[in-house]
Amino acid sequence: MRCHYEVLGVRRDCTDDDLKRAYRKLALRWHPDKNLDNPEEAAEQFKLIQAAYDVISDPQERAWYDNHRDALLKGGVDGDYQDDSLDLVQYFTVTCYSGYGDDEKGFYAVYRHIFDLIVKEEMETKINDEGEEYPGFGDSQSDYDTVVHPFYAYWQSFCTAKNFAWKEEYDTRQASNRWEKRAMEKENKKMRDKARRERNELVRELVAFVRKRDKRVHAHRKLVEEQNAEKAKKVEEMRRQQKIQNAKLAGQYKEQSWVATSELEKALQQMEAQYDKEFGDGSEDDEEEMEEQQNDRGSDEDDEEELLMRNHEKSKKHREMVALLRQQLEAEEEEFSTSVGEEESCVVDGEDAILSEEEEEKAEETPKPNHLMTALQWRVFKEATPAAEPKINEAELNGATEQQENSVPDTDDTGAAETPADDGKP
Protein backbone atom coordinates (compact mmCIF):
# COMPACT_ATOMS: atom_id res chain seq x y z
CA MET A 1 0.00 0.00 0.00
CA ARG A 2 1.28 3.42 -0.94
CA CYS A 3 0.98 6.53 1.18
CA HIS A 4 -1.80 8.91 0.08
CA TYR A 5 0.55 11.87 0.34
CA GLU A 6 3.06 10.14 -1.92
CA VAL A 7 0.32 9.31 -4.44
CA LEU A 8 -0.73 12.96 -4.65
CA GLY A 9 2.87 14.19 -4.48
CA VAL A 10 2.29 16.64 -1.57
CA ARG A 11 3.74 17.18 1.87
CA ARG A 12 2.00 15.90 4.97
CA ASP A 13 1.41 19.44 6.19
CA CYS A 14 0.04 20.74 2.88
CA THR A 15 -2.95 23.10 2.72
CA ASP A 16 -6.27 22.50 1.00
CA ASP A 17 -5.30 24.69 -1.96
CA ASP A 18 -2.07 22.76 -2.51
CA LEU A 19 -4.05 19.52 -2.35
CA LYS A 20 -6.58 20.68 -4.93
CA ARG A 21 -3.94 21.85 -7.38
CA ALA A 22 -2.03 18.57 -7.10
CA TYR A 23 -5.19 16.52 -7.57
CA ARG A 24 -6.29 18.38 -10.69
CA LYS A 25 -2.89 18.11 -12.24
CA LEU A 26 -2.65 14.33 -11.65
CA ALA A 27 -6.26 13.74 -12.67
CA LEU A 28 -5.69 15.36 -16.08
CA ARG A 29 -2.49 13.43 -16.51
CA TRP A 30 -3.87 9.95 -15.62
CA HIS A 31 -7.42 10.21 -16.85
CA PRO A 32 -8.27 7.13 -18.98
CA ASP A 33 -9.51 9.33 -21.82
CA LYS A 34 -6.09 10.97 -21.98
CA ASN A 35 -4.20 7.64 -22.02
CA LEU A 36 -5.68 5.55 -24.83
CA ASP A 37 -2.39 3.73 -25.41
CA ASN A 38 -2.30 2.27 -21.86
CA PRO A 39 -5.86 2.44 -20.48
CA GLU A 40 -5.43 -0.24 -17.75
CA GLU A 41 -2.46 1.40 -16.04
CA ALA A 42 -4.06 4.83 -16.36
CA ALA A 43 -7.30 3.55 -14.81
CA GLU A 44 -5.46 1.98 -11.86
CA GLN A 45 -3.41 5.10 -11.24
CA PHE A 46 -6.45 7.35 -11.55
CA LYS A 47 -8.24 5.15 -8.99
CA LEU A 48 -5.41 5.57 -6.45
CA ILE A 49 -5.40 9.33 -7.00
CA GLN A 50 -9.15 9.53 -6.47
CA ALA A 51 -9.01 7.41 -3.26
CA ALA A 52 -6.12 9.43 -1.83
CA TYR A 53 -7.88 12.72 -2.52
CA ASP A 54 -11.12 11.47 -0.94
CA VAL A 55 -9.29 10.66 2.30
CA ILE A 56 -6.99 13.69 2.53
CA SER A 57 -9.69 16.22 1.55
CA ASP A 58 -11.91 15.15 4.49
CA PRO A 59 -10.57 16.64 7.79
CA GLN A 60 -11.76 13.74 9.96
CA GLU A 61 -10.53 11.07 7.57
CA ARG A 62 -7.21 12.89 7.24
CA ALA A 63 -6.74 13.07 11.02
CA TRP A 64 -7.46 9.38 11.43
CA TYR A 65 -5.13 8.53 8.56
CA ASP A 66 -2.31 10.59 10.03
CA ASN A 67 -2.62 8.74 13.36
CA HIS A 68 -2.69 5.29 11.75
CA ARG A 69 -0.47 5.91 8.73
CA ASP A 70 2.38 3.70 9.88
CA ALA A 71 0.07 0.83 10.74
CA LEU A 72 -1.72 1.08 7.40
CA LEU A 73 1.49 1.18 5.41
CA LYS A 74 2.97 -1.79 7.27
CA GLY A 75 0.08 -4.24 7.34
CA GLY A 76 -3.13 -2.51 8.37
CA VAL A 77 -4.95 -2.07 11.70
CA ASP A 78 -6.57 -5.52 11.82
CA GLY A 79 -3.70 -7.24 13.66
CA ASP A 80 -1.51 -8.09 10.68
CA TYR A 81 0.86 -5.22 11.41
CA GLN A 82 4.37 -6.07 12.60
CA ASP A 83 6.50 -3.30 14.04
CA ASP A 84 9.67 -3.11 12.01
CA SER A 85 11.39 -0.60 14.31
CA LEU A 86 15.01 -1.22 15.16
CA ASP A 87 15.47 -3.80 17.91
CA LEU A 88 17.77 -2.11 20.40
CA VAL A 89 18.02 -4.94 22.91
CA GLN A 90 20.68 -6.76 20.89
CA TYR A 91 23.03 -3.79 21.26
CA PHE A 92 23.19 -3.97 25.06
CA THR A 93 26.29 -6.15 24.88
CA VAL A 94 29.99 -5.73 24.17
CA THR A 95 29.89 -8.50 21.55
CA CYS A 96 28.20 -6.22 19.02
CA TYR A 97 31.47 -4.34 18.41
CA SER A 98 35.18 -5.12 18.37
CA GLY A 99 37.60 -2.51 19.61
CA TYR A 100 37.29 1.25 19.85
CA GLY A 101 38.46 2.18 16.40
CA ASP A 102 36.65 3.85 13.54
CA ASP A 103 36.52 0.69 11.36
CA GLU A 104 33.28 -0.99 10.32
CA LYS A 105 33.10 -3.24 13.41
CA GLY A 106 34.45 -0.68 15.81
CA PHE A 107 32.62 0.84 18.76
CA TYR A 108 32.03 4.26 17.23
CA ALA A 109 31.01 3.00 13.78
CA VAL A 110 28.46 0.50 15.15
CA TYR A 111 26.69 2.86 17.52
CA ARG A 112 26.86 5.77 15.09
CA HIS A 113 24.92 3.62 12.61
CA ILE A 114 22.38 2.63 15.28
CA PHE A 115 21.59 6.21 16.28
CA ASP A 116 21.34 7.24 12.62
CA LEU A 117 18.67 4.56 12.12
CA ILE A 118 16.75 5.82 15.16
CA VAL A 119 16.83 9.34 13.73
CA LYS A 120 15.59 8.07 10.37
CA GLU A 121 12.62 6.34 12.00
CA GLU A 122 11.76 9.47 13.93
CA MET A 123 11.94 11.64 10.84
CA GLU A 124 9.58 9.34 8.93
CA THR A 125 6.88 9.71 11.57
CA LYS A 126 7.05 13.51 11.66
CA ILE A 127 4.62 15.48 9.53
CA ASN A 128 6.83 18.54 9.36
CA ASP A 129 10.34 17.77 8.17
CA GLU A 130 11.64 21.02 9.62
CA GLY A 131 11.75 19.60 13.12
CA GLU A 132 14.43 19.53 15.76
CA GLU A 133 17.97 18.51 14.90
CA TYR A 134 19.43 15.30 16.30
CA PRO A 135 23.09 15.58 17.40
CA GLY A 136 25.39 13.01 15.80
CA PHE A 137 27.44 10.41 17.65
CA GLY A 138 30.75 11.38 16.02
CA ASP A 139 33.92 9.30 15.92
CA SER A 140 36.90 8.53 18.13
CA GLN A 141 38.53 11.89 17.40
CA SER A 142 35.47 14.08 17.94
CA ASP A 143 35.78 17.03 20.28
CA TYR A 144 34.07 16.59 23.61
CA ASP A 145 32.65 20.09 23.97
CA THR A 146 31.26 20.41 20.43
CA VAL A 147 30.18 16.81 19.65
CA VAL A 148 30.26 14.40 22.57
CA HIS A 149 28.68 16.55 25.28
CA PRO A 150 25.76 17.84 23.09
CA PHE A 151 25.07 14.27 21.91
CA TYR A 152 24.69 12.81 25.41
CA ALA A 153 22.89 15.91 26.69
CA TYR A 154 20.15 15.42 24.09
CA TRP A 155 19.83 11.64 23.97
CA GLN A 156 19.75 11.19 27.76
CA SER A 157 16.33 12.91 27.70
CA PHE A 158 15.13 11.40 24.41
CA CYS A 159 11.39 11.43 23.60
CA THR A 160 10.11 9.59 20.54
CA ALA A 161 7.82 11.22 18.00
CA LYS A 162 6.08 7.95 17.07
CA ASN A 163 2.40 7.72 17.94
CA PHE A 164 2.30 3.88 18.15
CA ALA A 165 -1.14 3.75 16.59
CA TRP A 166 -0.58 0.07 15.73
CA LYS A 167 -0.81 -0.69 19.47
CA GLU A 168 -4.47 0.28 19.55
CA GLU A 169 -6.96 -2.47 20.39
CA TYR A 170 -10.16 -0.88 19.10
CA ASP A 171 -11.22 0.62 15.77
CA THR A 172 -13.12 3.77 16.59
CA ARG A 173 -14.84 3.71 13.20
CA GLN A 174 -16.85 0.71 14.33
CA ALA A 175 -18.31 2.49 17.39
CA SER A 176 -22.11 2.63 17.44
CA ASN A 177 -22.35 5.88 19.39
CA ARG A 178 -20.14 8.67 20.66
CA TRP A 179 -19.93 7.29 24.22
CA GLU A 180 -18.61 4.00 22.94
CA LYS A 181 -16.20 5.87 20.68
CA ARG A 182 -14.87 7.92 23.61
CA ALA A 183 -14.31 4.78 25.66
CA MET A 184 -12.43 3.19 22.74
CA GLU A 185 -10.27 6.31 22.30
CA LYS A 186 -9.46 6.34 26.02
CA GLU A 187 -8.28 2.73 26.00
CA ASN A 188 -6.32 3.23 22.79
CA LYS A 189 -4.60 6.28 24.28
CA LYS A 190 -3.49 4.23 27.31
CA MET A 191 -1.92 1.63 25.02
CA ARG A 192 -0.14 4.27 22.91
CA ASP A 193 1.24 6.08 25.96
CA LYS A 194 2.52 2.82 27.42
CA ALA A 195 4.32 1.89 24.19
CA ARG A 196 5.81 5.40 23.87
CA ARG A 197 7.09 5.31 27.46
CA GLU A 198 8.72 1.92 26.95
CA ARG A 199 10.43 3.13 23.77
CA ASN A 200 11.83 6.24 25.50
CA GLU A 201 13.18 4.23 28.43
CA LEU A 202 14.80 1.72 26.10
CA VAL A 203 16.62 4.40 24.10
CA ARG A 204 17.80 6.20 27.25
CA GLU A 205 19.13 2.99 28.75
CA LEU A 206 21.07 2.33 25.53
CA VAL A 207 22.56 5.84 25.75
CA ALA A 208 23.68 5.19 29.35
CA PHE A 209 25.22 1.86 28.30
CA VAL A 210 27.18 3.52 25.49
CA ARG A 211 28.31 6.48 27.60
CA LYS A 212 29.70 4.24 30.30
CA ARG A 213 32.02 2.61 27.72
CA ASP A 214 32.86 5.67 25.66
CA LYS A 215 36.63 6.34 25.78
CA ARG A 216 36.08 9.99 24.95
CA VAL A 217 34.05 10.42 28.13
CA HIS A 218 36.74 8.65 30.15
CA ALA A 219 39.45 10.88 28.71
CA HIS A 220 37.45 14.01 29.47
CA ARG A 221 36.73 12.86 33.02
CA LYS A 222 40.42 12.20 33.57
CA LEU A 223 41.28 15.61 32.17
CA VAL A 224 38.78 17.27 34.49
CA GLU A 225 40.20 15.42 37.50
CA GLU A 226 43.72 16.54 36.58
CA GLN A 227 42.54 20.13 36.21
CA ASN A 228 40.80 19.98 39.58
CA ALA A 229 43.92 18.54 41.19
CA GLU A 230 46.01 21.30 39.65
CA LYS A 231 43.58 23.91 40.90
CA ALA A 232 43.72 22.38 44.37
CA LYS A 233 47.53 22.54 44.30
CA LYS A 234 47.40 26.18 43.27
CA VAL A 235 44.98 26.98 46.06
CA GLU A 236 47.18 25.17 48.57
CA GLU A 237 50.23 27.02 47.32
CA MET A 238 48.41 30.33 47.61
CA ARG A 239 47.45 29.48 51.18
CA ARG A 240 51.04 28.58 52.02
CA GLN A 241 52.30 31.85 50.53
CA GLN A 242 49.66 33.72 52.48
CA LYS A 243 50.80 32.07 55.71
CA ILE A 244 54.42 32.99 54.98
CA GLN A 245 53.42 36.57 54.24
CA ASN A 246 51.39 36.74 57.45
CA ALA A 247 54.36 35.42 59.42
CA LYS A 248 56.57 38.11 57.92
CA LEU A 249 54.06 40.79 58.74
CA ALA A 250 53.84 39.45 62.28
CA GLY A 251 57.63 39.71 62.61
CA GLN A 252 57.55 43.31 61.40
CA TYR A 253 54.65 44.21 63.61
CA LYS A 254 55.27 47.09 65.99
CA GLU A 255 53.37 47.01 69.19
CA GLN A 256 51.17 49.98 69.93
CA SER A 257 51.77 52.16 72.97
CA TRP A 258 48.50 51.26 74.65
CA VAL A 259 49.28 47.55 74.23
CA ALA A 260 52.68 48.08 75.85
CA THR A 261 51.00 49.95 78.73
CA SER A 262 48.62 47.07 79.30
CA GLU A 263 51.57 44.69 79.37
CA LEU A 264 53.26 46.88 81.98
CA GLU A 265 50.12 46.85 84.09
CA LYS A 266 50.04 43.07 83.94
CA ALA A 267 53.68 42.92 84.97
CA LEU A 268 53.03 45.28 87.89
CA GLN A 269 50.10 43.18 89.02
CA GLN A 270 52.28 40.07 88.91
CA MET A 271 54.96 41.82 90.96
CA GLU A 272 52.42 43.00 93.54
CA ALA A 273 51.03 39.50 93.79
CA GLN A 274 54.55 38.15 94.34
CA TYR A 275 55.29 40.75 97.05
CA ASP A 276 52.01 40.03 98.79
CA LYS A 277 52.87 36.37 98.74
CA GLU A 278 56.28 36.96 100.27
CA PHE A 279 55.52 39.72 102.79
CA GLY A 280 51.82 39.40 103.44
CA ASP A 281 48.58 38.04 102.17
CA GLY A 282 47.20 41.49 101.37
CA SER A 283 43.75 40.49 102.55
CA GLU A 284 43.12 43.79 104.33
CA ASP A 285 43.98 45.77 101.22
CA ASP A 286 41.74 43.54 99.20
CA GLU A 287 38.91 44.05 101.66
CA GLU A 288 39.39 47.79 101.56
CA GLU A 289 39.38 47.77 97.79
CA MET A 290 36.21 45.66 97.77
CA GLU A 291 34.55 48.06 100.23
CA GLU A 292 35.54 51.03 98.11
CA GLN A 293 34.15 49.32 95.04
CA GLN A 294 30.91 48.57 96.86
CA ASN A 295 30.68 52.17 98.08
CA ASP A 296 31.28 53.41 94.58
CA ARG A 297 28.57 51.11 93.29
CA GLY A 298 26.22 52.28 96.07
CA SER A 299 26.84 55.92 95.26
CA ASP A 300 26.30 55.22 91.61
CA GLU A 301 23.01 53.51 92.42
CA ASP A 302 21.94 56.45 94.60
CA ASP A 303 22.76 58.86 91.81
CA GLU A 304 20.74 56.78 89.43
CA GLU A 305 17.77 56.67 91.82
CA GLU A 306 17.96 60.43 92.37
CA LEU A 307 18.09 61.03 88.63
CA LEU A 308 15.11 58.74 88.09
CA MET A 309 13.18 60.57 90.85
CA ARG A 310 13.90 63.94 89.25
CA ASN A 311 12.78 62.73 85.89
CA HIS A 312 9.63 61.33 87.44
CA GLU A 313 8.83 64.60 89.22
CA LYS A 314 9.21 66.47 85.93
CA SER A 315 6.86 64.12 84.11
CA LYS A 316 3.40 65.25 83.09
CA LYS A 317 1.67 62.36 84.81
CA HIS A 318 3.30 63.20 88.16
CA ARG A 319 2.28 66.85 87.93
CA GLU A 320 -1.31 65.89 87.21
CA MET A 321 -1.44 63.51 90.17
CA VAL A 322 0.02 66.18 92.52
CA ALA A 323 -2.60 68.70 91.41
CA LEU A 324 -5.38 66.16 91.96
CA LEU A 325 -4.05 65.29 95.43
CA ARG A 326 -3.84 69.01 96.34
CA GLN A 327 -7.50 69.50 95.42
CA GLN A 328 -8.53 66.53 97.55
CA LEU A 329 -6.52 67.83 100.54
CA GLU A 330 -8.05 71.31 100.25
CA ALA A 331 -11.55 69.84 100.21
CA GLU A 332 -10.80 67.68 103.27
CA GLU A 333 -9.28 70.71 105.05
CA GLU A 334 -12.47 72.71 104.53
CA GLU A 335 -14.58 69.86 105.91
CA PHE A 336 -12.26 69.52 108.92
CA SER A 337 -12.30 73.26 109.72
CA THR A 338 -16.11 73.24 109.66
CA SER A 339 -16.30 70.27 112.08
CA VAL A 340 -13.72 71.83 114.44
CA GLY A 341 -15.71 75.10 114.54
CA GLU A 342 -18.86 73.26 115.56
CA GLU A 343 -17.05 71.43 118.37
CA GLU A 344 -15.54 74.67 119.70
CA SER A 345 -18.94 76.39 119.75
CA CYS A 346 -20.36 73.56 121.87
CA VAL A 347 -17.50 73.73 124.37
CA VAL A 348 -17.66 77.53 124.81
CA ASP A 349 -21.43 77.73 125.44
CA GLY A 350 -21.11 78.46 129.21
CA GLU A 351 -19.56 81.52 130.71
CA ASP A 352 -17.64 79.33 133.19
CA ALA A 353 -15.75 77.56 130.42
CA ILE A 354 -12.88 80.01 130.14
CA LEU A 355 -9.59 78.68 128.96
CA SER A 356 -6.55 79.32 130.99
CA GLU A 357 -3.26 80.49 129.67
CA GLU A 358 -1.93 76.94 129.62
CA GLU A 359 -4.89 75.77 127.59
CA GLU A 360 -4.37 78.62 125.17
CA GLU A 361 -0.71 77.64 124.85
CA LYS A 362 -1.78 74.03 124.23
CA ALA A 363 -4.24 75.16 121.66
CA GLU A 364 -1.57 77.19 120.01
CA GLU A 365 0.82 74.23 120.09
CA THR A 366 -1.80 71.90 118.60
CA PRO A 367 -0.94 71.38 114.92
CA LYS A 368 -3.50 72.31 112.35
CA PRO A 369 -4.06 70.35 109.14
CA ASN A 370 -2.23 71.60 106.15
CA HIS A 371 -2.05 70.54 102.55
CA LEU A 372 0.72 68.07 103.41
CA MET A 373 -1.34 66.20 106.08
CA THR A 374 -4.10 63.95 104.79
CA ALA A 375 -7.44 63.51 106.48
CA LEU A 376 -6.51 60.02 107.65
CA GLN A 377 -3.30 61.31 109.30
CA TRP A 378 -5.30 64.03 111.06
CA ARG A 379 -7.82 61.51 112.46
CA VAL A 380 -5.01 59.32 113.79
CA PHE A 381 -3.37 62.35 115.44
CA LYS A 382 -6.69 63.43 116.97
CA GLU A 383 -7.35 60.01 118.50
CA ALA A 384 -3.82 59.77 119.87
CA THR A 385 -3.97 63.30 121.58
CA PRO A 386 -5.97 63.32 124.92
CA ALA A 387 -8.77 65.88 125.21
CA ALA A 388 -8.00 68.93 127.42
CA GLU A 389 -9.94 68.88 130.71
CA PRO A 390 -11.53 72.21 131.76
CA LYS A 391 -10.02 73.72 134.93
CA ILE A 392 -12.01 75.38 137.73
CA ASN A 393 -11.22 78.88 138.82
CA GLU A 394 -9.05 79.08 141.96
CA ALA A 395 -11.40 81.58 143.63
CA GLU A 396 -14.36 79.35 143.17
CA LEU A 397 -12.36 76.38 144.37
CA ASN A 398 -11.35 78.24 147.60
CA GLY A 399 -14.93 79.34 148.27
CA ALA A 400 -16.25 75.87 147.91
CA THR A 401 -13.61 74.55 150.28
CA GLU A 402 -14.52 77.06 153.04
CA GLN A 403 -18.18 76.19 152.82
CA GLN A 404 -17.38 72.53 153.20
CA GLU A 405 -15.26 73.17 156.28
CA ASN A 406 -18.00 75.22 157.99
CA SER A 407 -20.56 72.55 157.42
CA VAL A 408 -18.45 69.86 159.11
CA PRO A 409 -18.61 69.85 163.03
CA ASP A 410 -15.45 70.54 165.00
CA THR A 411 -14.16 67.21 166.14
CA ASP A 412 -11.79 68.64 168.78
CA ASP A 413 -14.58 70.52 170.70
CA THR A 414 -16.97 67.61 170.65
CA GLY A 415 -14.38 65.24 171.91
CA ALA A 416 -13.48 67.56 174.67
CA ALA A 417 -17.09 67.82 175.85
CA GLU A 418 -17.84 64.11 175.79
CA THR A 419 -14.56 63.01 177.24
CA PRO A 420 -14.45 63.32 181.08
CA ALA A 421 -11.64 65.37 182.43
CA ASP A 422 -8.79 63.44 183.88
CA ASP A 423 -7.81 65.33 186.97
CA GLY A 424 -4.80 63.20 187.57
CA LYS A 425 -3.10 64.13 184.46
CA PRO A 426 -1.75 67.54 183.80
Side-chain angles (χ1 to χ4, degrees):
M1 180 180 179
R2 293 180 61 187
C3 177
H4 292 331
Y5 294 100
E6 293 179 359
V7 171
L8 296 174
V10 294
R11 296 165 57 90
R12 294 182 61 181
D13 57 348
C14 64
T15 61
D16 293 339
D17 295 336
D18 296 338
L19 185 63
K20 289 179 181 179
R21 284 195 294 268
Y23 170 70
R24 290 174 182 175
K25 183 178 180 179
L26 293 174
L28 292 174
R29 178 181 176 184
W30 293 100
H31 195 276
D33 295 341
K34 300 290 183 179
N35 294 275
L36 299 176
D37 299 336
N38 192 5
E40 294 180 359
E41 183 180 358
E44 185 68 23
Q45 191 68 24
F46 185 79
K47 184 179 179 179
L48 292 175
I49 295 169
Q50 187 67 37
Y53 180 76
D54 293 339
V55 173
I56 302 302
S57 60
D58 189 348
Q60 295 182 355
E61 290 287 337
R62 181 177 180 178
W64 187 90
Y65 177 80
D66 291 338
N67 292 330
H68 300 82
R69 175 176 173 275
D70 296 335
L72 293 172
L73 296 178
K74 299 178 181 180
V77 294
D78 297 331
D80 299 333
Y81 174 76
Q82 296 294 331
D83 187 11
D84 59 351
S85 300
L86 180 63
D87 186 12
L88 301 178
V89 179
Q90 59 180 334
Y91 296 100
F92 283 87
T93 177
V94 296
T95 58
C96 66
Y97 63 90
S98 59
Y100 290 89
D102 293 328
D103 53 337
E104 186 178 354
K105 298 294 183 179
F107 175 84
Y108 298 101
V110 171
Y111 285 106
R112 182 171 58 250
H113 178 66
I114 292 171
F115 285 106
D116 290 343
L117 292 177
I118 296 174
V119 171
K120 184 178 179 181
E121 292 178 358
E122 295 295 324
M123 296 298 293
E124 289 177 354
T125 58
K126 286 187 176 183
I127 297 176
N128 188 2
D129 295 338
E130 297 178 359
E132 57 184 340
E133 296 181 358
Y134 296 88
F137 185 67
D139 52 21
S140 60
Q141 303 299 325
S142 298
D143 182 62
Y144 182 86
D145 295 329
T146 58
V147 178
V148 180
H149 178 70
F151 172 81
Y152 287 111
Y154 175 83
W155 287 92
Q156 283 177 338
S157 58
F158 171 79
C159 292
T160 182
K162 295 181 178 180
N163 56 9
F164 294 91
W166 57 89
K167 296 290 184 178
E168 295 180 356
E169 295 182 0
Y170 304 99
D171 187 358
T172 56
R173 295 177 298 178
Q174 298 178 1
S176 59
N177 52 55
R178 58 180 179 178
W179 293 282
E180 185 177 357
K181 181 178 180 181
R182 289 177 182 175
M184 290 180 178
E185 291 176 349
K186 186 176 181 180
E187 293 298 326
N188 291 338
K189 185 176 183 301
K190 289 181 180 179
M191 299 303 296
R192 293 196 304 269
D193 293 342
K194 181 180 178 181
R196 186 181 295 108
R197 184 168 54 253
E198 292 176 352
R199 180 66 176 182
N200 293 335
E201 292 177 356
L202 185 62
V203 174
R204 294 172 187 174
E205 290 175 0
L206 178 63
V207 173
F209 177 85
V210 174
R211 187 175 186 275
K212 187 177 180 180
R213 291 156 180 81
D214 195 342
K215 298 297 183 181
R216 300 171 300 182
V217 177
H218 295 170
H220 178 73
R221 187 180 295 126
K222 185 177 180 181
L223 178 62
V224 171
E225 291 176 356
E226 292 177 355
Q227 291 177 354
N228 292 335
E230 187 177 356
K231 290 180 181 179
K233 289 181 179 179
K234 290 181 179 180
V235 171
E236 188 65 25
E237 181 66 21
M238 290 176 64
R239 289 179 180 176
R240 191 177 66 82
Q241 295 294 337
Q242 188 68 26
K243 287 181 180 180
I244 294 172
Q245 186 176 0
N246 292 338
K248 290 180 180 179
L249 293 175
Q252 298 174 359
Y253 175 72
K254 185 177 180 180
E255 202 171 39
Q256 300 293 333
S257 59
W258 62 271
V259 177
T261 305
S262 62
E263 295 294 336
L264 290 174
E265 290 178 356
K266 291 180 181 179
L268 289 173
Q269 291 177 0
Q270 292 177 359
M271 292 173 64
E272 290 176 358
Q274 185 176 1
Y275 287 142
D276 291 339
K277 187 176 181 181
E278 292 179 358
F279 303 103
D281 54 355
S283 59
E284 297 179 356
D285 297 338
D286 295 340
E287 291 177 357
E288 291 178 358
E289 291 179 359
M290 291 179 64
E291 290 179 358
E292 291 178 358
Q293 291 178 359
Q294 290 179 357
N295 294 331
D296 294 339
R297 291 177 182 174
S299 62
D300 294 340
E301 292 177 357
D302 295 339
D303 295 339
E304 291 179 358
E305 291 179 358
E306 185 178 358
L307 181 61
L308 291 174
M309 181 60 70
R310 290 179 182 176
N311 294 334
H312 175 68
E313 291 176 354
K314 293 179 181 179
S315 64
K316 182 179 179 181
K317 186 175 182 181
H318 177 75
R319 293 196 299 272
E320 292 177 354
M321 295 300 295
V322 169
L324 181 62
L325 181 60
R326 184 178 289 107
Q327 292 176 2
Q328 293 178 357
L329 291 175
E330 290 176 356
E332 291 177 359
E333 185 178 359
E334 291 179 359
E335 293 178 0
F336 175 76
S337 61
T338 305
S339 62
V340 170
E342 293 177 356
E343 290 179 359
E344 289 179 354
S345 62
C346 294
V347 172
V348 190
D349 284 342
E351 294 180 357
D352 296 337
I354 301 172
L355 294 174
S356 62
E357 294 180 358
E358 296 179 358
E359 291 175 353
E360 291 178 357
E361 291 178 358
K362 271 190 177 181
E364 290 177 358
E365 293 176 358
T366 303
K368 293 183 179 180
N370 53 19
H371 65 282
L372 297 177
M373 183 180 294
T374 62
L376 180 61
Q377 291 176 348
W378 173 252
R379 293 192 186 96
V380 172
F381 175 78
K382 183 179 178 182
E383 292 175 358
T385 305
E389 296 181 359
K391 291 185 178 182
I392 303 174
N393 195 0
E394 292 181 358
E396 294 177 355
L397 181 61
N398 294 333
T401 304
E402 289 177 358
Q403 293 177 3
Q404 192 174 10
E405 289 177 356
N406 293 329
S407 64
V408 176
D410 193 0
T411 54
D412 295 338
D413 297 342
T414 305
E418 290 179 357
T419 305
D422 191 0
D423 296 336
K425 291 182 181 181

